[in-house]
Amino acid sequence: MSRTELLNAEPAVLENRKPKNKFKKAIVLFVAPFGVLFLLFYLAPISYALYQSFLKVDRQGTFGKAKEVFGGFTQYIAVFQNGPFWESIGRVFLFGVVQVPVMLGLALLFALLLDSPLVRGKKFFRLAFFVPYAVPGVIAAIMWGFLYSPNLSPFTDVTSKIDFLSADLVLWAMANVVTWVFVGYNMLIIYSSLLSIPTEIYEAARLDGAGQLRIALSIKIPLVTPAIVMTAIFSIIGTLQLLAEPQVFRTFSSAVNSTFTPNLAVLTTSSIPNIHLAAAMSVVLALTTFILSFAFLKFTHPKGN
């Protein structure tokens, strides 16, 4: 068929001439396992939690049989009237405002050092920075809890003078644990982004007389900004999901109560048991996480940039 005939051909004829996808079955075969697991272990629990949040327990009389009935927004009203829950959100918000910038600043610094041609032993330091992330969060919290405890710590000269488990410092003691664990993880993400930068850019900068500090400030950091933003969003989500550290630190410090963080408040509420209120808390917490993450993303990527 000539070019003129193709231009004048009917849409149906052109449609028939389009190459057919011969790999539809293969695509479905490979995507299906993920789709099934995503449905069973992500969408289904979220849907069930949302359903539970609209129920309430109705009991006829003091000793009447309890039954679940539709309660509308009753549980959500209770959530917004729950002072300790919102205090816990404010507490982790303060935690994130301080801990996340410190953690990402250290991760960026370590990534830049590993990418610098002046540093030797990069494989050793890359492994050393990443090793804490291989330690499970509960184990890390127990280890640091022993180090902070005045009676158990090998550094009694320090812990006898500074009570890291007091009401004023326990939050920042947890921040130290989280920072120690996740700096290496975030460092690898930023370092991987640094490795993707073409070396020709560095060579051109050196020809213009730029030193390593100028290259880092003017080239490397701007080019890895998307990776930094991504790690910041992950960190915001992780901050609002803080659970293992406060749960472990409750055994070391009386300053950590049952509603110290939002997730701990949800766990405590579900253990009463008050499943419906805990489900509503979970939904509100998920929406709060989404709003904060979306707001940060819009702030770092304003319209038109």
Side-chain angles (χ1 to χ4, degrees), residues 17-172:
R17 291 181 62 86
K18 290 182 180 179
K20 294 183 178 180
N21 192 342
K22 299 179 181 180
F23 304 103
K24 286 184 178 180
K25 293 183 179 179
I27 293 173
V28 172
L29 181 64
F30 281 106
V31 173
F34 167 78
V36 172
L37 293 175
F38 184 77
L39 176 65
L40 291 177
F41 296 103
Y42 191 80
L43 293 182
I46 290 176
S47 301
Y48 184 70
L50 189 62
Y51 166 73
Q52 288 289 329
S53 69
F54 286 103
L55 299 179
K56 68 175 183 178
V57 175
D58 190 20
R59 189 188 302 271
Q60 293 182 352
T62 306
F63 303 102
K65 185 178 179 181
K67 61 178 180 179
E68 293 182 344
V69 297
F70 179 74
F73 291 97
T74 302
Q75 304 297 346
Y76 290 98
I77 294 173
V79 170
F80 284 101
Q81 293 175 345
N82 191 318
F85 176 72
W86 291 103
E87 288 175 6
S88 68
I89 290 183
R91 190 176 294 113
V92 295
F93 180 78
L94 176 63
F95 176 97
V97 167
V98 177
Q99 187 269 336
V100 171
V102 171
M103 177 179 64
L104 296 185
L106 289 173
L108 177 61
L109 176 62
F110 293 156
L112 290 172
L113 288 174
L114 288 177
D115 194 57
S116 173
L118 304 177
V119 176
R120 298 292 180 264
K122 293 182 181 181
K123 291 183 179 179
F124 168 78
F125 287 111
R126 185 167 64 235
L127 180 62
F129 292 148
F130 184 73
V131 160
Y133 180 70
V135 179
V138 174
I139 302 300
I142 292 173
M143 180 183 71
W144 280 97
F146 276 105
L147 292 176
Y148 289 140
S149 180
N151 300 324
L152 303 172
S153 175
F155 309 106
T156 52
D157 291 340
V158 177
T159 55
S160 61
K161 297 176 181 177
I162 303 175
D163 187 3
F164 294 101
L165 300 177
S166 65
D168 295 330
L169 296 179
V170 69
L171 182 66
W172 310 118

Side-chain angles (χ1 to χ4, degrees), residues 82 85 258-259 264-279 281:
N82 191 318
F85 176 72
S258 60
T259 59
L264 196 55
V266 172
L267 178 64
T268 303
T269 304
S270 64
S271 302
I272 292 176
N274 193 340
I275 302 297
H276 309 304
L277 180 58
M281 285 181 172

Side-chain angles (χ1 to χ4, degrees), residues 105-268:
L106 289 173
L108 177 61
L109 176 62
F110 293 156
L112 290 172
L113 288 174
L114 288 177
D115 194 57
S116 173
L118 304 177
V119 176
R120 298 292 180 264
K122 293 182 181 181
K123 291 183 179 179
F124 168 78
F125 287 111
R126 185 167 64 235
L127 180 62
F129 292 148
F130 184 73
V131 160
Y133 180 70
V135 179
V138 174
I139 302 300
I142 292 173
M143 180 183 71
W144 280 97
F146 276 105
L147 292 176
Y148 289 140
S149 180
N151 300 324
L152 303 172
S153 175
F155 309 106
T156 52
D157 291 340
V158 177
T159 55
S160 61
K161 297 176 181 177
I162 303 175
D163 187 3
F164 294 101
L165 300 177
S166 65
D168 295 330
L169 296 179
V170 69
L171 182 66
W172 310 118
M174 293 181 198
N176 179 61
V177 178
V178 175
T179 302
W180 181 78
V181 172
F182 286 98
V183 160
Y185 169 79
N186 293 302
M187 177 207 69
L188 280 186
I189 295 176
I190 299 172
Y191 181 60
S192 300
S193 182
L194 284 170
L195 293 178
S196 66
I197 300 175
T199 56
E200 293 82 0
I201 298 177
Y202 301 148
E203 293 173 359
R206 293 190 191 98
L207 289 174
D208 289 338
Q212 291 300 319
L213 181 60
R214 174 54 58 188
I215 290 174
L217 294 176
S218 301
I219 297 176
K220 292 183 178 181
I221 293 178
L223 290 179
V224 299
T225 298
I228 298 173
V229 171
M230 182 179 68
T231 54
I233 292 174
F234 288 164
S235 300
I236 291 171
I237 295 171
T239 297
L240 287 168
Q241 293 178 347
L242 197 64
L243 177 62
E245 290 77 11
Q247 195 169 13
V248 170
F249 271 59
R250 285 187 69 186
T251 61
F252 293 99
S253 172
S254 59
V256 181
N257 56 30
S258 60
T259 59
F260 194 79
T261 65
N263 262 355
L264 196 55
V266 172
L267 178 64
T268 303

